[in-house]
Amino acid sequence: MNKTCLHQKHLELKAKMVDFSGWDMPLSYGSQLDEHMAVRSKAGIFDVSHMTVFSLVGNQTEQFLSYVFANDIAKVKNKNKAIYGTILNNDGGILDDLIVYSCNGKYWIVSNCGTKSKNTSWFKKHAIEFSVDVNLMDEFSIIALQGPLAKEHIAKIVEIESASQLTAFGVMDFKGGLIARTGYTGEDGFEFIVPRDVGIEIWNKAIELGIAPIGLAARDSLRLEAGLNLYGNDMDENYHPFESGLGWTIDFSNAERKFIGRAALERIDSKTSKKITGVILKDRGVLRPGYRLQSNSGEGVILSGTFSPILQKSIGLARVDSCMHDKATVIIREKEFYVDLVSSRFLKQDKIMK
Amino acid sequence: MREIPGDLKFLSSHEWARIEDDGTVTVGISDHAQDLLGDIVFVELPEVGKILSAEGEAAIVESVKAASDVYSPLSGEIIAVNSLLEDNPEIVNESPYEDGWFFKIKPDNLDELADLLDAESYADSCED
C-alpha cells in the first residue's frame, strides 16, 4: 500500500484509514460532518498527496499542451496561473480531468491518483513528437488549505505576505514547489505542491494553529455540494465533456488548434446530448450512484450522491436526457421518491432557499 | 471504542438485543457498527405491530457513506420504536447502547437467545 509522507501524522491524529486506489489515506479523523462544516465555516487542511504530479520540460511544452489538453493553454501562457480542463481520447471521451499550473516558464500538472499509469503512458506517447520530457514528481506532497479563513491562516503558515495576495487560480513559486489559489471544496483556499519536508512543515504549522484536519470523506461531500465532478463517478472515457457538465472547459476558439478529441466533439450536437444535473431528494434518505431517475420528460441515473450538511438533504449529480427538467422520481429500494432537478451549484441553491 | 455492556446479546451482523425486566427485548446496533458506518443521517424504523422473524430485515440505517439493513436478533412483534431517531439519527453514533436503541419487540421464543453471541464472542468476531 502506498503511503504519503504524512501517513504517521494521520495515525497520530487517530484517523480512520481507507484504501483509496492503492493508497492508505485518512477517511476522517472523527466525524466527517463536523469536518465538512469546519471547512464551510472556518478552515481545514487536507493531505491529497495521493494525487499525481507531472512536470513537463522542453521548448515545445506549450505546443504539446495545446495538443493534449482540451482547454486552451494559451490562456495561462506567460502568466502565473492555473487552468482546469480535461484530456480526451480520439473519440472525445474523457481520459482525466486535471489542473495545469503555469509558473515562471514551468508547466506542472496535477491529475487523479487512479489514472496515474494511464496518464503517464498517454503523455509520454504524445510528448515524443514535441521532444517534451514528462517527469513524475513522486517525491512531492500536495496539501490543501480550504475555507473562508484560509486567507488569514496562510500568512502564518508560509510566513510570506504575497501568498494571500494571489488571485483565484493564481500561482507562485514556493520552496522548490508551488502555491496556488485553487481547491476542490467550493471555498476560498490554497493548494501547496511542495517537496515532502516542506509539506510536513506546512501540515505541522496548520495543526499547531488549530486548523482541522479533513479526510477524504468530507472532501467528497464538499466537492459534491460545490457541484464539482469526480473522475470515475461523474465522468469517464465512455462520455464526452458535453454529457459530463464540462462543455465550458472545451475551447474551440482557436480554429488552428487541433487538440486530441476535437474532431469527434465537433461532430456532436451538444444540445441533444445527455447532460449532468444537480438532484435534491425531497424526502429523507440518501441518493447513491446507480439509482434510476424517471419523469415524463426523460430518464437518467445518479452518478454521485451524498448527504449535504448545508442543505440538510441528500444531493447528487445525475446524467439525464437533455430535455429532462424540474422534477422526477427516484427509485430507492423499490420505492419511489420525489426529487428536484436543480443547478449542481448546491451552495448557491442554499443562498436562494434562504 | 466503548466498552460492550455485558448483558447484551449480539448477531454477527452487529445488532444487539437486551432482555428487559418485563420480558420485552430492546434492539439496537453496536458501537462497532456505528463506527464502521460513520455519521448516520437517516434511520427507517419498522411500524409498531409488524411481525419479525429472527435475522429478518427490520430497519434501515443510512450514513453519509452507506445504507445498511438492520436485522432482528429474535422473532416477535414490534411493540415500540425509538421515534427520536427520525429527527436525530446522530444519537445512534453518540449512544449506540442506550439512547440510540432502534425498536422493542415482544419475543415469540426466548430460546432463540441461545443462537446469539455473548459480548465477548461478539467482540472477538469484530476483530476477525
Side-chain angles (χ1 to χ4, degrees), chain A residues 272-310:
Chain A
T272 60
S273 306
K274 285 180 185 291
K275 63 179 181 185
I276 287 206
T277 179
V279 180
I280 298 181
L281 181 61
K282 305 277 279 181
D283 219 313
R284 297 184 318 138
V286 182
L287 298 168
R288 311 275 179 197
Y291 287 1
R292 311 296 307 184
L293 297 179
Q294 285 171 335
S295 79
N296 294 334
S297 56
E299 55 181 37
V301 61
I302 299 286
L303 305 170
S304 285
T306 194
F307 179 80
S308 160
I310 292 287

Side-chain angles (χ1 to χ4, degrees), chain A residues 16 31-32 284 288 306 333, chain B residues 35 39 62-64 66 86:
Chain A
K16 190 183 289 181
S31 161
Q32 91 170 76
R284 297 184 318 138
R288 311 275 179 197
T306 194
R333 291 183 291 270
Chain B
D35 188 56
D39 294 280
E62 291 218 38
S63 68
V64 186
E86 284 174 8

Side-chain angles (χ1 to χ4, degrees), chain A residues 178-322:
Chain A
L178 301 173
I179 302 177
R181 195 111 186 213
T182 51
Y184 192 48
T185 60
E187 295 297 329
D188 184 21
F190 301 83
E191 289 178 302
F192 307 87
I193 309 157
V194 286
R196 284 180 181 175
D197 53 335
V198 181
I200 293 169
E201 264 174 46
I202 290 169
W203 179 270
N204 287 344
K205 270 194 193 154
I207 298 295
E208 272 168 36
L209 286 167
I211 300 171
I214 313 295
L216 293 185
R219 180 170 154 88
D220 189 59
S221 53
L222 287 159
R223 69 93 191 167
L224 192 45
E225 216 169 54
L228 301 171
N229 284 17
L230 172 65
Y231 193 79
N233 273 50
D234 312 310
M235 54 187 156
D236 59 44
E237 288 178 36
N238 301 312
Y239 296 93
H240 57 71
F242 302 113
E243 51 196 1
S244 307
L246 293 177
W248 64 275
T249 69
I250 308 301
D251 193 331
F252 291 117
S253 59
N254 176 359
E256 302 293 305
R257 195 172 73 90
K258 304 290 181 202
F259 62 86
I260 302 174
R262 176 171 190 150
L265 294 187
E266 282 174 339
R267 290 193 294 269
I268 290 164
D269 180 358
S270 61
K271 289 191 181 65
T272 60
S273 306
K274 285 180 185 291
K275 63 179 181 185
I276 287 206
T277 179
V279 180
I280 298 181
L281 181 61
K282 305 277 279 181
D283 219 313
R284 297 184 318 138
V286 182
L287 298 168
R288 311 275 179 197
Y291 287 1
R292 311 296 307 184
L293 297 179
Q294 285 171 335
S295 79
N296 294 334
S297 56
E299 55 181 37
V301 61
I302 299 286
L303 305 170
S304 285
T306 194
F307 179 80
S308 160
I310 292 287
L311 298 180
Q312 287 290 307
K313 285 188 169 69
S314 179
I315 58 170
L317 293 178
R319 182 172 287 115
V320 302
D321 292 331
S322 61

